[in-house]
Amino acid sequence: MPDVQSTVLEFVNKLRKRKIEGSQATAKCTVELLRSVISQQRVPHSNQASALIDAVKAVGEQLVAANPVELAVGNVVRRVLHIIREEDLSLATAAMAGLDLLDASDDDGEDDNCKGVGYSAMSAAVAAAAARSTLRPPSLQTLLEGTPESAAVPYTSSSGADSESKNVQSTVLEFVNKLRKRKIEGSQATAKCTVELLRSVISQQRVPHSNQASALIDAVKAVGEQLVAANPVELAVGNVVRRVLHIIREEDLSLATAAMAGLDLLDASDDDGEDDNCKGVGYSAMSAAVAAAAARSTLRPPSLQTLLEGTPESAAVPYTSSSGADSESKRVLGLGKFRNCRKRYDSGSSTAGFLCECVLLSYRAADKSSITRKLKHDVIEGVNHLILEISGCHEQIAEQAIEHIHQNEVILTLGSSRTVPEFLCAAKEKKRSFRVFVAEGAPRYQGHLLAKELVARGLQTTVITDSAVFAMISRVNMVIIGAHAVMANGGVIGPVGVNMAALAAKKHAVPFVVLAGSHKLCPLYPHNPEVLLNELRSPSELLDFGEVSDCLDFGAGSGSPLLQVVNPTFDYVPPSLVSLFITDTGGHNPSYMYRLIADYYSADDLVM
Amino acid sequence: MDSMAAATSSSVPASGLTTVSVKSSKPLKEKTTKAERRALQDAQRAASKGASLDVFILALHVGIISCLYCVLSAEGGKAPLYDDESRVVKAKRRAVVKQTEAKNRVELFRHLPQYEHGTQLPDLETKFFLLDPMHPAVGLQYLSGDISGGNARCIAMLQAFQEVVKDYSTPPEKTLNRDLTAKISSYVSFLIECRPLSVSMGNAIRFVKNRIAKLPIMLFESEAKAALQSDIQRLISEKIVAADKAIVRHAVTKIRDGDVLLTYGSPSAVEMVLLQAHELRKKFRVLVVDSLPKLEGQLLLRRLIKRGIDCTYTHINAISYIMHEVTKVFLGASSVLSNGTVYSRVGTACVAMVASAFRVPVLVCCEAYKFHERVQLDSICSNELGDPNVISKVHGRGDINYLDGLTNNANLQFLNLMYDATPSDYISMIITDYGMVPPTSVPVIVREYQKEHLLV
């Protein structure tokens, strides 16, 4: 194609001589050039997408090399590549859906209903997973679009999820009230109550025959929204709700993947026996691609590990054909294969037909008896596991104490965390002797409470005033605090005064260690957390009105209040001041927290 | 250290004094100075007498005599080292009043004196009439906390000295110069017992002694007394009152309309600045940050509100929360040391640190007579320990009583530090009567000041 090539060369020259200025103009020219490249590219019959990708990449490399400083060129090229990949995947998914529909109509004609339902429900789930993984970045838009999409799946689902019994609703209301009135304090207690409540919500939720997962998710979300709204500052509630949602999603996906894998294997063996190779190839290649997509979406966070694992999986599909993305041929082959299979089944003579029937029957049986129950059962199992994890996090964290506290250490702590005394006492039980300074934590004096507990357990404790934190920090070997919540950027929300201690520790190069159970890990990134994720308590804790009331008469006429009293509950420590997080899974750097947090949550649930 | 801990904790007021000194005589052998050996002999002689009353009277005498030795080392805010056994013994013997040492002391601060608060006051009052009738009132006021703040304490002390000078008459066969110095020294040691000296007081004492020493021999007593009194008066009016006015004049130029000013505790100089700025009709808001256990900020808050200044009040823990809106931080200082370190009410360092972390300028108001050539790197080596019991009992909050039964638990200690040292990196500017200077210029001022005023 001399025409396109000359255009490319011309543009490359322009870029190299910096004739085009402004990123918008460059981007526009680039994308127009790429359009012409794509339109002029002769595509092979199979594997079209990769041919297009190769062509665009080849041109893109030249362009980028021509002006490496103009990043817009690279961006546009990558965007075009992304568009190609996405279209390819969506074609594959659509083909799969077409197969389903065909299959269903086929079944209807044959009065073979139940077989079709089981299969198509599964493939729909997989398709939805594939679609979700196509729209990879967890943006707000994706989330908003994603929900109706899954709801619009044309299967007889009862999308109404308000079939909770009265009992649960009253429990929810009671808990919401407690949260609103701040009757429950401490993130661990709140997390535990929340997860127990959600468990009862799930167990009492009547699930429809199909689309169970979304019914459960809707129910949990509905309750979760109420809870979060009741106390938006207690991030543990949102965390736990998201974790439960994640559990449901994962269980759902793993069920679907497992079923799919079972089908694949059977299918493959079937094909081999019949010498029906080429037909089998197309179908299984496609289903492998979809399964890989599903698997990728299970391991949602795009980490290096996931990527590395993902590649061999799809490469290891035991078919030599274009496992890439030639959707057109795949579709044809897949359909042909399926008709063929059905025909064979109709004849009823071959063993393969028998096998095929077995697959469908067994799947149906599974669908009827276990899959309905299984999802709910698995989810509740998962939630129980979560409860155990939350209640056991103290011990898990305390076990690591011995690795961090040495003999004759001087430790500063503040706030009233339950984890901190457990941690310190675990070290004390291992015969380490050390001294603890406790800042008293005015105006709530939680430090006094902490000191009392430590003294009761035989630790050498010194109570200091909050103002003496800076004075004492130069003789302290380590600051250990319990967090209220840990944000995804590694920032910590802790008891008021903690930022001061962290700054002082940084100044004196004293390690600042934060203890946090996994229920405190919050997937949100904070914005202005000092103000937005804070709560102001009563001024009377600081100043009796009686003490200043005589002075305030002065301002009565002027209208504007002369005196404000600020009494915040929490403090935010930026990640740069934190040396180490100790969670129940071990010690981590602040920069690693986002990854740790990604393990616990689905990207779809970040915005509730 | 351990033997000393045992010794101090076992010391029961009067008769225990002797047992301590006898017990500890052995390890002392290595490094006793002449004065200490003499003191030891005195103590042993006292022990042989046995009767505790006699011991006490003797101790009193010895104390007055040994003042001559001790005061030179004690002046200038240098606290005696209380981890040295001999010094503890000496300090006790010197003590006019018996002081019970606190039981649960923080190991890190064994070098600082720590007494049971409240045991001193009744005892001091009984001794009140044994001593000079006039001056203990000042000390008692320190002790009960009626006078606090570096300037107030210093002025009270200087006025007491004026009275002393006025009432003084040289005894026969003594010279005014030496006798009056000794007398002043004994008063100073009394004041130290009431509460350790601040740097400002140390500087003032040095000034007074210097004046006495420099008095011409041939002056008549009345002339000398008049000269001394006017010198002391000049110190008060020039170095404290006029200096404050100069500071206010400088600092007010830094306050603009719309400013949000933060101050910590109740620094007198800053209060004057704020009031003056308000009088000049500048529109600003004040954030008063306070801390336990003294809650001095509440007093400042009351005074500011009464004058009609908009205020916000909070505790030091919330400093990060409110620092966003602050445009300038004004702090007071007990002393500025010559490496630029600001030695001030405990918590000042925290405020300055958070302010500098939020990129808010920190301005320290401090009169030049409080500057000292001493250097200090941390808040541990030299400090003052307050009454530890005020920490365990929360003022005005009956519901907070977590630590009620535990005050005698051996595992639990309370630490009530009075001062801390703010590193000079956190301080943008020091406002003194000489103008506004960076903390690096402090040694220059210290030098010039000494040349100009103290050693003339």
Side-chain angles (χ1 to χ4, degrees):
Chain A
M1 288 154 278
D3 180 32
V4 174
Q5 275 200 342
S6 67
T7 329
V8 168
L9 276 181
E10 198 184 315
F11 187 60
V12 164
N13 265 331
K14 270 191 188 170
L15 275 180
R16 190 169 290 144
K17 291 176 183 168
R18 310 294 192 257
K19 289 255 168 93
I20 311 177
E21 280 207 7
S23 54
Q24 206 207 4
T26 323
K28 216 167 163 186
C29 291
T30 312
V31 73
E32 273 161 9
L33 183 73
L34 288 179
R35 184 176 57 187
S36 65
V37 166
I38 291 169
S39 67
Q40 301 234 356
Q41 175 74 24
R42 253 181 268 138
V43 281
H45 191 63
S46 66
N47 219 358
Q48 305 168 340
S50 65
L52 280 182
I53 289 173
D54 286 348
V56 170
K57 262 193 185 168
V59 174
E61 272 169 22
Q62 288 180 48
L63 297 185
V64 171
N67 187 354
V69 182
E70 184 55 87
L71 296 171
V73 175
N75 296 347
V76 166
V77 171
R78 281 184 203 101
R79 287 277 294 271
V80 170
L81 287 175
H82 180 64
I83 289 169
I84 297 172
R85 281 182 215 276
E86 260 200 357
E87 288 302 328
D88 185 34
L89 243 171
S90 74
L91 269 182
T93 327
M96 189 69 180
L99 207 69
D100 280 348
L101 285 174
L102 229 125
D103 180 33
S105 66
D106 200 4
D107 286 342
D108 282 346
E110 293 238 3
D111 274 325
D112 208 347
N113 233 341
C114 39
K115 288 172 196 164
V117 169
Y119 177 65
S120 52
M122 178 182 61
S123 66
V126 177
R132 247 186 290 154
S133 88
T134 324
L135 304 160
R136 175 64 57 88
S139 73
L140 187 60
Q141 198 194 1
T142 324
L143 292 172
L144 289 175
E145 276 172 3
T147 323
E149 194 179 342
S150 64
V153 178
Y155 304 106
T156 56
S157 70
S158 66
S159 63
D162 36 36
S163 53
E164 296 140 296
S165 68
K166 284 267 155 82
N167 186 15
V168 172
Q169 273 200 344
S170 68
T171 329
V172 169
L173 276 182
E174 198 184 312
F175 187 60
V176 163
N177 264 332
K178 268 191 190 167
L179 275 180
R180 192 170 286 147
K181 292 176 181 164
R182 312 293 193 254
K183 290 248 166 101
I184 309 178
E185 281 209 8
S187 49
Q188 205 214 2
T190 323
K192 222 167 161 181
C193 291
T194 310
V195 69
E196 272 160 9
L197 182 75
L198 288 179
R199 184 175 58 182
S200 65
V201 166
I202 290 172
S203 66
Q204 301 237 356
Q205 172 76 20
R206 255 181 267 136
V207 283
H209 191 64
S210 65
N211 219 359
Q212 306 165 341
S214 68
L216 280 183
I217 288 174
D218 286 347
V220 170
K221 262 195 182 166
V223 174
E225 272 169 22
Q226 287 180 52
L227 298 185
V228 170
N231 187 354
V233 179
E234 184 56 86
L235 295 166
V237 175
N239 295 348
V240 164
V241 172
R242 286 190 190 97
R243 297 248 337 234
V244 170
L245 288 175
H246 181 61
I247 289 171
I248 297 172
R249 279 180 212 277
E250 268 207 340
E251 291 299 336
D252 183 34
L253 250 171
S254 74
L255 271 183
T257 324
M260 192 70 184
L263 208 69
D264 268 355
L265 284 174
L266 258 150
D267 184 32
S269 67
D270 179 20
D271 287 340
D272 281 348
E274 282 258 271
D275 273 15
D276 206 24
N277 235 340
C278 54
K279 287 171 195 165
V281 168
Y283 176 64
S284 51
M286 180 180 57
S287 67
V290 178
R296 243 186 293 153
S297 88
T298 323
L299 304 160
R300 174 63 54 91
S303 76
L304 188 59
Q305 198 197 3
T306 325
L307 291 174
L308 287 175
E309 273 173 4
T311 322
E313 195 178 342
S314 64
V317 177
Y319 307 104
T320 49
S321 85
S322 56
S323 69
D326 194 344
S327 58
E328 203 57 35
S329 61
K330 226 185 337 187
R331 176 181 199 148
V332 173
L333 283 172
L335 286 179
K337 149 82 176 66
F338 210 82
R339 283 206 197 94
N340 195 344
C341 178
R342 192 150 298 289
K343 209 160 62 194
R344 271 184 282 121
Y345 168 64
D346 286 344
S347 72
S349 59
S350 69
T351 49
F354 182 65
L355 260 176
C356 193
E357 189 190 25
C358 285
V359 174
L360 293 174
L361 276 176
S362 67
Y363 190 78
R364 183 185 114 204
D367 174 54
K368 267 288 181 195
S369 62
S370 63
I371 299 233
T372 330
R373 301 261 164 269
K374 198 163 189 299
L375 176 67
K376 212 162 131 174
H377 178 260
D378 285 356
V379 167
I380 289 186
E381 197 86 318
V383 173
N384 281 337
H385 191 74
L386 179 62
I387 294 177
L388 280 182
E389 191 185 309
I390 290 174
S391 47
C393 70
H394 291 327
E395 288 88 68
Q396 297 261 340
I397 293 173
E399 269 175 23
Q400 305 165 50
I402 201 74
E403 298 166 23
H404 298 284
I405 297 176
H406 64 70
Q407 192 74 18
N408 275 339
E409 184 130 15
V410 180
I411 291 168
L412 175 76
T413 181
L414 62 162
S416 82
S417 162
R418 275 194 52 211
T419 325
V420 171
E422 297 284 343
F423 189 81
L424 296 177
C425 292
K428 163 88 179 164
E429 278 159 20
K430 298 266 166 61
K431 304 290 174 223
R432 295 278 153 91
S433 78
F434 53 93
R435 211 169 313 149
V436 184
F437 283 108
V438 181
E440 58 179 350
R444 298 182 70 191
Y445 301 100
Q446 290 174 319
H448 287 193
L449 216 56
L450 183 64
K452 187 178 180 182
E453 190 171 348
L454 292 179
V455 167
R457 302 219 197 174
L459 279 163
Q460 280 285 325
T461 311
T462 305
V463 179
I464 62 172
T465 52
D466 300 316
S467 44
V469 164
F470 186 89
M472 295 309 300
I473 200 95
S474 58
R475 297 299 181 274
V476 166
N477 300 123
M478 182 155 59
V479 183
I480 299 181
I481 65 143
H484 170 70
V486 178
M487 307 307 288
N489 65 344
V492 178
I493 303 211
V496 69
V498 112
N499 189 41
M500 195 167 73
L503 280 170
K506 185 83 182 174
K507 162 84 180 170
H508 290 89
V510 175
F512 186 82
V513 177
V514 177
L515 308 181
S518 62
H519 59 278
K520 296 187 179 180
L521 308 182
C522 178
L524 302 176
Y525 285 84
H527 168 68
N528 197 6
E530 291 95 337
V531 179
L532 295 181
L533 289 176
N534 216 330
E535 199 162 58
L536 293 178
R537 293 172 63 88
S538 162
S540 67
E541 288 183 338
L542 297 188
L543 197 64
D544 263 346
F545 179 68
E547 286 178 35
V548 288
S549 57
D550 54 326
C551 313
L552 281 174
D553 296 338
F554 185 91
S558 66
S560 70
L562 278 168
L563 176 61
Q564 297 174 9
V565 178
V566 186
N567 183 10
T569 318
F570 300 119
D571 220 347
Y572 174 72
V573 181
S576 55
L577 300 181
V578 181
S579 317
L580 185 69
F581 283 100
I582 299 180
T583 70
D584 32 10
T585 58
H588 302 288
N589 248 10
S591 55
Y592 184 71
M593 292 318 279
Y594 84 95
R595 185 62 193 81
L596 195 67
I597 283 167
D599 278 344
Y600 291 118
Y601 303 100
S602 294
D604 303 358
D605 303 323
L606 294 191
V607 179
M608 291 218 302
Chain B
M1 187 64 88
D2 276 346
S3 71
M4 173 254 178
T8 48
S9 59
S10 72
S11 66
V12 198
S15 57
L17 187 75
T18 54
T19 41
V20 171
S21 59
V22 172
K23 245 193 234 167
S24 60
S25 60
K26 207 170 183 187
L28 275 178
K29 281 278 157 61
E30 288 102 281
K31 43 163 190 181
T32 42
T33 64
K34 196 175 174 185
E36 282 165 345
R37 242 176 286 140
R38 217 182 92 183
L40 195 67
Q41 281 170 2
D42 287 340
Q44 278 165 343
R45 221 181 303 139
S48 65
K49 280 198 177 176
S52 65
L53 189 71
D54 291 2
V55 171
F56 201 84
I57 292 166
L58 189 76
L60 249 169
H61 286 300
V62 173
I64 290 162
I65 296 162
S66 60
C67 272
L68 278 172
Y69 297 93
C70 72
V71 164
L72 282 169
S73 65
E75 70 182 21
K78 263 183 214 151
L81 295 172
Y82 274 73
D83 51 350
D84 190 345
E85 287 175 56
S86 58
R87 281 174 189 269
V88 175
V89 173
K90 223 165 83 179
K92 280 204 163 173
R93 197 174 314 112
R94 206 163 62 228
V96 186
V97 289
K98 51 184 179 187
Q99 299 190 328
T100 334
E101 292 216 24
K103 284 184 207 95
N104 276 345
R105 292 177 55 187
V106 181
E107 187 67 31
L108 211 50
F109 288 92
R110 290 223 180 259
H111 60 283
L112 297 178
Q114 167 92 72
Y115 298 118
E116 294 259 26
H117 203 77
T119 57
Q120 298 156 284
L121 208 52
D123 200 48
L124 261 184
E125 274 161 358
T126 56
K127 295 285 173 299
F128 192 89
F129 302 102
L130 291 180
L131 293 157
D132 208 297
M134 178 283 314
H135 74 273
V138 178
L140 286 178
Q141 277 175 317
Y142 292 168
L143 197 62
S144 54
D146 286 348
I147 302 181
S148 64
N151 284 342
R153 280 171 69 192
C154 192
I155 291 177
M157 182 188 73
L158 287 174
Q159 282 168 348
F161 284 164
Q162 272 186 312
E163 293 289 316
V164 169
V165 171
K166 202 173 105 188
D167 296 348
Y168 179 78
S169 58
T170 317
E173 296 170 22
K174 281 191 179 173
T175 58
L176 179 136
N177 294 16
R178 292 193 58 184
D179 189 56
L180 191 58
T181 309
K183 201 152 181 158
I184 295 257
S185 298
S186 76
Y187 297 154
V188 167
S189 66
F190 173 80
L191 293 178
I192 292 174
E193 276 159 34
C194 293
R195 193 182 155 183
L197 295 183
S198 66
V199 172
S200 56
M201 289 161 73
N203 280 345
I205 291 166
R206 199 155 56 165
F207 172 85
V208 171
K209 283 190 180 166
N210 218 306
R211 284 285 143 193
I212 297 173
K214 291 263 168 83
L215 279 178
I217 295 280
M218 33 303 198
L219 272 185
F220 289 115
E221 188 182 306
S222 58
E223 283 173 347
K225 278 164 66 179
L228 270 181
Q229 283 183 51
S230 77
D231 274 346
I232 294 173
Q233 188 56 46
R234 194 164 57 86
L235 182 68
I236 294 175
S237 58
E238 252 180 38
K239 292 297 151 202
I240 302 178
V241 178
D244 277 336
K245 280 188 185 135
I247 288 174
V248 169
R249 207 173 57 240
H250 290 304
V252 157
T253 62
K254 293 291 161 199
I255 299 179
R256 293 191 203 143
D257 279 351
D259 263 350
V260 180
L261 310 175
L262 184 143
T263 187
Y264 174 71
S266 169
S268 57
V270 174
E271 186 181 344
M272 281 185 263
V273 171
L274 296 177
L275 293 179
Q276 175 69 21
H278 183 65
E279 252 163 45
L280 294 175
R281 306 228 171 272
K282 299 203 179 190
K283 287 182 182 56
F284 60 95
R285 210 149 60 80
V286 180
L287 302 182
V288 180
V289 179
D290 207 350
S291 78
L292 289 154
K294 288 208 155 185
L295 295 177
E296 291 165 310
Q298 290 190 359
L299 305 174
L300 175 68
L301 184 73
R302 279 181 64 102
R303 292 195 289 264
L304 292 181
I305 294 174
K306 271 191 176 157
R307 301 292 284 267
I309 299 175
D310 280 354
C311 288
T312 302
Y313 176 81
T314 192
H315 275 187
I316 190 164
N317 267 339
I319 186 95
S320 310
Y321 178 85
I322 52 167
M323 197 53 90
H324 292 279
E325 44 183 326
V326 177
T327 56
K328 277 172 197 97
V329 175
F330 278 91
L331 296 174
S334 169
S335 171
V336 178
L337 310 181
S338 79
N339 59 345
T341 302
V342 171
Y343 184 75
S344 184
R345 163 73 56 224
V346 66
T348 305
C350 288
V351 174
M353 172 185 67
V354 175
S356 75
F358 282 80
R359 308 281 185 272
V360 179
V362 178
L363 291 80
V364 174
C365 300
C366 183
E367 298 85 358
Y369 86 100
K370 291 182 182 171
F371 287 25
H372 200 274
E373 77 271 6
R374 188 157 56 100
V375 290
Q376 198 175 328
L377 288 173
D378 59 22
S379 321
I380 315 269
C381 293
S382 165
N383 211 319
E384 186 183 334
L385 297 182
D387 179 16
N389 291 324
V390 296
I391 295 183
S392 61
K393 290 195 181 50
V394 179
H395 169 71
R397 293 281 296 277
D399 51 326
I400 312 285
N401 51 3
Y402 309 123
L403 298 173
D404 269 1
L406 294 168
T407 38
N408 286 325
N409 193 314
N411 281 332
L412 182 65
Q413 289 116 24
F414 298 98
L415 178 65
N416 184 7
L417 276 185
M418 302 289 274
Y419 294 100
D420 67 10
T422 310
S424 59
D425 345 349
Y426 295 149
I427 292 155
S428 323
M429 187 161 79
I430 296 174
I431 305 177
T432 78
D433 28 347
Y434 291 94
M436 297 177 273
V437 297
T440 45
S441 300
V442 172
V444 182
I445 290 195
V446 170
R447 233 172 78 124
E448 295 300 315
Y449 191 89
Q450 285 182 346
K451 238 191 239 164
E452 195 185 331
H453 298 280
L454 290 179
L455 304 175
V456 171

